[in-house]
Amino acid sequence: MQQSSHTTSLSIRSFQFCSNNSVTFTNMKLPTLSVLYLIHLTSLLLILAESTQPPFSCDISDPRTKSYPFCKTTLPITQRVQDLVSRLTLDEKISQLVNSASSIPRLGIPAYQWWSEALHGVAYSLRVTQGIRFNGTIQSATSFPQVILTAASFDAHLWYRIAQAVGIEARAIYNAGQAMGMTFWAPNINIYRDPRWGRGQETPGEDPLVSGKYAVSFVRGIQGDSFEGGKLGQHLQASACCKHFTAYDLDNWKGVKRYVFNAKVSLQDLADTYQPPFQSCIQQGKASGIMCAYNRVNGVPNCADYNLLSKTARGQWGFNGYITSDCDAVAIIHEDQGYAKLPEDAVADVLKAGMDVNCGTYLKKYTKSAVEKRKLPVSKIDRALHNLFSVRIRLGLFDGNPVKQPYGTIGSDKVCSQEHRNLALEAARNGIVLLKNTDKLLPLSKTKTTSLAVIGPNANSAKTLVGNYAGPPCKPVTPLQGLQSYVKDTRFHQGCNAVNCSSAFIAQSVKIAKGADHVVLVMGLDQTQESEDHDRVDLLLPPKQQNLISRIARVAKNPVILVLLSGGPVDISFAKNDQHIGSILWAGYPGEAGGRALAEIIFGDHNPASNCYTGGRLPVTWYPQSYVNVPMTDMRMRPEPSSSYPGRTYRFYQGPKVFEFGYGLSYSNYTYEILPVTQNRVHIMVESSNPHRYLPVSEMGDEVCEKMKYTVKVRVKNHGAMAGKHPMLLFVRQPKMVNGRPVRQLVAFQSVNLNAGERADVEFELRPCEHLSSAKKDGSMVIEEGSYLLSIGDKESEIQVVK
């Protein structure tokens, strides 16, 4: 852009923002400052000063806006971005390659913060305060259950509604002037491969299908698409970012840290376990962002892997968005991994690989010298900027005043609305899993329970409820508070000094337990035991906490109720087998409404609109303590009997379990019947000279695969006396586990509402190319001829695949 030839000298001592949005300058000398430049600077200062004004570009009150093609909403985004990038100097370009992108005052472009969090509600960024601020008219946001518990509902539409609410609240916060960005680095869709992983709580669990469905539901919800997809258009409500790409599921285990970990992954495991959630996120969800992970995969840093970022994500899967590094993931390529000899090599490697923005400062520091040393062509910077500005334009940040744009009328009343808080309650209620209920101890009688003892370090901790990556919740209700609303005579003791229970108050706890009709123990873990950068080394509860549970259970009048708050699985075999412990509930980290949800479940209360307790199902396998003998660094999914390696997750693990994937009891009893189908033979409808008893899916094509799909009908009946929302899980398996086939594989799931005594016929869509295929050692997906067994509950039905 050329400067105006008409300049002036101004004497300005200070400036003052006036009530009419004008600015007064006095007695301060400025050397030949362009009047138009001053207009832009003034508008940026106004944006920063006025907390109710969100930051944006292309203000129609700016006389030059009309001359900028990048401000013309009638032009294609590609053309607008090309114009914008062409106007930038090299220094200005480089300033946009980091998460805290600088303002460009001469073009009226405000600063932008790429890093914001919204894992299970709009949240603080860990080390960045500019992204989202809760210091204005909006000081909290709805805190939904941590993802691992939400996944336990096996309800994709619920996942969508939660993400939709998060996206609405995010836009409301931006409209209120409390956000410097609308790009949110969620969801986390890594496979929960190992039960010790501190961040497993952030994920939808161990199953690739569930993780992929969650990714699609979340992305569509937060970005403003419909549940079915296809209605988004170019405007984004907010931008989702699927992370961490790829094979990332170790943080800090016995001194092995994510920054240097080299994940050795077979092509077979990549094809059917680690990559499918990201493929679904991109192809079906249409995510506008992905994040490359810290770790290396087979020696190559994820953020420097051209085959991963450009060839696979963009080339094969058609990704059309921006790619960010995890924070400082570029720096470690040189400083920790030694993969790049110089900082400039690291910068060149990631930009050539297809990464666009660096969370951190490495690209800001070393990109110019990489260009000057001819390690990096400017064209690679321009490519990255095209992706970055395209997303900002899709967010409406270059369309003038946001109030006049799509999503501009979303107000602060949408944040912490009653509708969203009710949804948080519904999500907690639908995810909580009943693991044990001897002699139908639960639900307790509201009329016969006159006194209650509530004991445990998690019983009255609002902080524990929300897990990690959480913002300030609207109106948190702890388990103690929830239970107190049911029983007036409720006595409380925390039992331990903290969750690690280095000091247990056994005498005091036993005393109040002896005097109550029923005892509820609220135990488990918290972020001091499992979190980012902190993997567990065992699967047990803290020793003194476990001892406290057993001591109280032996003296209580009636069998006690044990509530576990945790993200990861815990070996609670002692409680499972203790006759003095009548019921066990796993509540994950249930969010701000978790205490109320738990109380409603314990007392069997419900409102007619949401039915009663559904009975969530475990989205991960609960292993015994002996599983810690398996090195967490071993990425193999499949078992290897010759070395006693047991494999991982329900799909491949061969060994004892405390509770299996999909396990969960209910207050009602449900039965299933797989109805006869007109089609129990699947014909591979393509001619092939392949002599093997299998056919590569890649040879079949989308049209053939689409024609092969068919419907499976399952009749389900509620035999109980209570209504419920029941998750149904349909699996497939082959009679023999050979050639690396899974023991069984989830192929479909959905939830159904049934009144007492009611039955329903539920349809599941079976897609043979997706659901009956398996990965060969070379990573190719194939459909094998032979027998397959569909199963749900204790019922099975055979289908045949023939060429």
Side-chain angles (χ1 to χ4, degrees):
M1 188 204 78
Q2 290 187 339
Q3 287 281 2
S4 169
S5 59
H6 179 65
T7 58
T8 184
S9 296
L10 298 178
S11 295
I12 304 173
R13 176 183 295 169
S14 63
F15 60 86
Q16 175 182 352
F17 291 92
C18 305
S19 59
N20 63 355
N21 285 341
S22 63
V23 183
T24 300
F25 298 88
T26 56
N27 296 333
M28 181 177 177
K29 181 77 172 180
L30 288 182
T32 57
L33 179 65
S34 165
V35 172
L36 293 178
Y37 181 91
L38 182 60
I39 291 172
H40 284 291
L41 179 61
T42 303
S43 65
L44 288 174
L45 290 170
L46 282 167
I47 288 172
L48 293 173
E50 179 55 72
S51 63
T52 60
Q53 177 68 69
F56 65 92
S57 300
C58 302
D59 190 346
I60 60 173
S61 64
D62 182 341
R64 290 189 302 177
T65 292
K66 294 181 180 180
S67 67
Y68 291 152
F70 70 78
C71 288
K72 295 181 179 179
T73 59
T74 56
L75 294 177
I77 289 177
T78 299
Q79 190 172 338
R80 296 174 68 185
V81 171
Q82 287 175 343
D83 173 72
L84 194 162
V85 174
S86 71
R87 296 174 183 274
L88 303 180
T89 66
L90 179 60
D91 287 341
E92 288 171 337
K93 290 179 178 181
I94 292 171
S95 75
Q96 302 301 298
L97 297 177
V98 290
N99 64 287
S100 296
S102 301
S103 63
I104 307 174
R106 68 183 184 86
L107 297 177
I109 299 175
Y112 186 80
Q113 179 53 250
W114 285 93
W115 183 4
S116 292
E117 301 287 356
L119 182 68
H120 54 110
V122 183
Y124 296 110
S125 301
L126 292 182
R127 300 189 294 274
V128 179
T129 58
Q130 307 101 298
I132 295 291
R133 304 184 305 278
F134 289 102
N135 60 353
T137 57
I138 299 172
Q139 299 194 357
S140 58
T142 308
S143 184
F144 295 94
Q146 181 61 290
V147 178
I148 193 67
L149 187 72
T150 298
S153 69
F154 286 89
D155 186 343
H157 194 257
L158 174 65
W159 304 340
Y160 169 81
R161 290 162 57 210
I162 291 171
Q164 188 179 45
V166 173
I168 288 170
E169 294 199 1
R171 182 59 76 161
I173 292 171
Y174 170 78
N175 288 344
Q178 293 179 221
M180 290 294 291
M182 284 296 292
T183 38
F184 294 88
W185 292 352
N188 181 342
I189 54 171
N190 293 118
I191 296 299
Y192 199 167
R193 172 188 61 94
D194 190 288
R196 293 162 287 188
W197 186 29
R199 300 189 72 178
Q201 60 181 292
E202 302 173 25
T203 76
E206 67 183 33
D207 180 75
L209 176 76
V210 173
S211 297
K213 294 285 188 184
Y214 182 87
V216 172
S217 297
F218 185 94
V219 170
R220 287 176 177 172
I222 198 170
Q223 291 193 163
D225 204 349
S226 65
F227 174 66
E228 296 80 10
K231 296 184 179 180
L232 182 60
Q234 73 173 23
H235 288 102
L236 296 171
Q237 175 176 254
S239 169
C241 175
C242 289
K243 61 184 186 184
H244 311 78
F245 196 42
T246 189
Y248 166 75
D249 49 17
L250 178 149
D251 269 60
N252 187 350
W253 177 75
K254 293 186 175 181
V256 179
K257 296 186 177 182
R258 56 185 174 170
Y259 309 114
V260 296
F261 178 54
N262 180 26
K264 297 178 181 179
V265 187
S266 70
L267 295 175
Q268 190 175 32
D269 287 342
L270 274 173
D272 71 359
T273 299
Y274 295 107
Q275 297 290 63
F278 289 96
Q279 185 174 0
S280 296
C281 166
I282 290 169
Q283 292 185 325
Q284 299 173 45
K286 307 296 182 185
S288 50
I290 54 177
M291 175 187 286
C292 50
Y294 289 116
N295 58 292
R296 291 171 288 166
V297 174
N298 300 326
V300 182
N302 278 307
C303 292
D305 191 341
Y306 176 84
N307 286 330
L308 181 70
L309 304 185
S310 292
K311 187 175 179 180
T312 300
R314 294 195 187 277
Q316 295 177 15
W317 298 345
F319 176 61
N320 181 24
Y322 78 98
I323 300 176
T324 180
S325 76
D326 207 335
C327 295
D328 297 322
V330 179
I332 64 172
I333 292 174
H334 166 65
E335 296 176 1
D336 296 271
Q337 297 172 356
Y339 181 84
K341 292 183 179 180
L342 298 171
E344 291 83 0
D345 292 325
V347 167
D349 286 345
V350 297
L351 287 173
K352 288 179 179 179
M355 196 198 80
D356 301 312
V357 63
N358 168 210
C359 181
T361 59
Y362 225 60
L363 262 63
K364 194 171 185 177
K365 291 178 180 178
Y366 298 109
T367 299
K368 191 169 187 178
S369 56
V371 172
E372 291 171 344
K373 293 179 180 180
R374 299 194 176 184
K375 294 177 179 289
L376 177 71
V378 176
S379 62
K380 298 299 181 182
I381 300 173
D382 291 348
R383 175 205 54 77
L385 294 176
H386 185 280
N387 294 327
L388 295 173
F389 281 114
S390 292
V391 170
R392 289 173 66 174
I393 288 175
R394 291 188 68 194
L395 286 164
L397 307 184
F398 284 78
D399 294 348
N401 192 332
V403 174
K404 300 178 182 179
Q405 308 304 327
Y407 311 114
T409 59
I410 298 176
S412 58
D413 61 317
K414 296 295 185 180
V415 181
C416 290
S417 66
Q418 189 63 53
E419 178 185 359
H420 291 176
R421 288 189 285 122
N422 288 345
L423 182 59
L425 174 62
E426 178 186 345
R429 189 194 292 117
N430 290 3
I432 293 172
V433 182
L434 182 63
L435 298 175
K436 179 181 180 180
N437 198 26
T438 305
D439 297 329
K440 296 185 177 180
L441 173 62
L442 293 179
L444 298 181
S445 169
K446 287 179 284 184
T447 56
K448 295 180 181 179
T449 304
T450 59
S451 61
L452 198 65
V454 180
I455 302 169
N458 280 334
N460 200 33
S461 172
K463 183 178 180 181
T464 302
L465 287 177
V466 298
N468 69 353
Y469 282 91
C474 308
K475 294 182 179 180
V477 178
T478 67
L480 174 63
Q481 292 167 335
L483 292 167
Q484 284 173 330
S485 69
Y486 281 87
V487 181
K488 185 177 181 180
D489 184 7
T490 296
R491 307 151 196 182
F492 166 68
H493 199 285
Q494 69 181 44
C496 298
N497 64 321
V499 166
N500 68 2
C501 209
S502 58
S503 297
F505 309 117
I506 294 177
Q508 300 95 317
S509 300
V510 165
K511 182 178 179 180
I512 71 164
K514 284 182 176 180
D517 291 339
H518 289 284
V519 177
V520 179
L521 300 169
V522 189
M523 303 291 185
L525 309 176
D526 65 4
Q527 300 307 302
T528 67
Q529 306 297 299
E530 53 174 356
S531 62
E532 184 170 3
D533 203 37
H534 181 73
D535 300 322
R536 289 185 287 162
V537 294
D538 64 45
L539 299 177
L540 300 173
L541 290 174
K544 290 185 179 180
Q545 191 186 126
Q546 180 170 320
N547 180 58
L548 178 66
I549 292 169
S550 298
R551 292 282 295 272
I552 293 173
R554 287 198 296 268
V555 302
K557 292 180 182 178
N558 293 295
V560 302
I561 300 151
L562 174 61
V563 175
L564 290 173
L565 300 190
S566 72
V570 183
D571 182 351
I572 52 168
S573 299
F574 80 97
K576 180 181 177 182
N577 300 321
D578 188 339
Q579 63 181 349
H580 300 294
I581 298 174
S583 297
I584 304 174
L585 288 162
W586 174 69
Y589 296 119
E592 65 175 51
R596 181 179 168 188
L598 275 166
E600 289 185 0
I601 290 168
I602 288 171
F603 283 96
D605 208 0
H606 66 279
N607 68 61
S610 60
N611 292 309
C612 77
Y613 171 49
T614 73
R617 294 174 177 266
L618 294 177
V620 290
T621 301
W622 284 37
Y623 302 86
Q625 168 67 4
S626 59
Y627 196 81
V628 300
N629 295 323
V630 177
M632 194 174 172
T633 50
D634 196 323
M635 300 293 289
R636 291 176 295 169
M637 298 301 300
R638 290 158 166 85
E640 189 177 277
S642 62
S643 62
S644 299
Y645 182 72
R648 295 184 180 277
T649 77
Y650 82 94
R651 297 166 61 232
F652 302 107
Y653 172 65
Q654 296 178 329
K657 309 174 186 70
V658 180
F659 296 108
E660 65 180 0
F661 173 90
Y663 177 83
L665 304 175
S666 174
Y667 292 163
S668 290
N669 178 37
Y670 296 88
T671 59
Y672 307 102
E673 178 186 358
I674 301 177
L675 299 178
V677 293
T678 56
Q679 178 181 349
N680 61 0
R681 294 172 69 87
V682 176
H683 293 270
I684 301 177
M685 299 181 295
V686 61
E687 293 185 7
S688 174
S689 58
N690 189 329
H692 302 289
R693 290 177 54 84
Y694 63 80
L695 189 68
V697 174
S698 60
E699 292 184 12
M700 301 175 69
D702 294 340
E703 185 176 345
V704 170
C705 287
E706 188 69 18
K707 289 180 179 178
M708 289 173 63
K709 69 180 182 181
Y710 69 99
T711 298
V712 176
K713 289 186 178 181
V714 177
R715 180 164 292 164
V716 57
K717 184 174 181 179
N718 180 357
H719 293 272
M722 301 179 71
K725 184 179 178 185
H726 182 63
M728 300 172 62
L729 279 57
L730 181 68
F731 294 87
V732 69
R733 68 179 180 88
Q734 291 177 275
K736 294 182 180 180
M737 185 183 172
V738 295
N739 300 324
R741 298 172 185 160
V743 176
R744 59 178 181 149
Q745 172 66 58
L746 185 68
V747 295
F749 58 89
Q750 59 178 292
S751 291
V752 58
N753 288 292
L754 292 175
N755 293 319
E758 185 181 8
R759 76 177 188 185
D761 293 345
V762 180
E763 294 186 351
F764 295 93
E765 184 177 74
L766 190 69
R767 292 177 169 267
C769 289
E770 177 184 352
H771 299 143
L772 302 184
S773 61
S774 57
K776 305 293 286 184
K777 288 188 176 180
D778 63 0
S780 62
M781 301 301 295
V782 301
I783 298 181
E784 298 186 49
E785 284 188 271
S787 175
Y788 293 75
L789 294 170
L790 294 173
S791 66
I792 186 166
D794 58 355
K795 297 294 190 296
E796 287 191 333
S797 177
E798 185 179 14
I799 55 175
Q800 291 285 333
V801 174
V802 295
K803 288 176 69 174

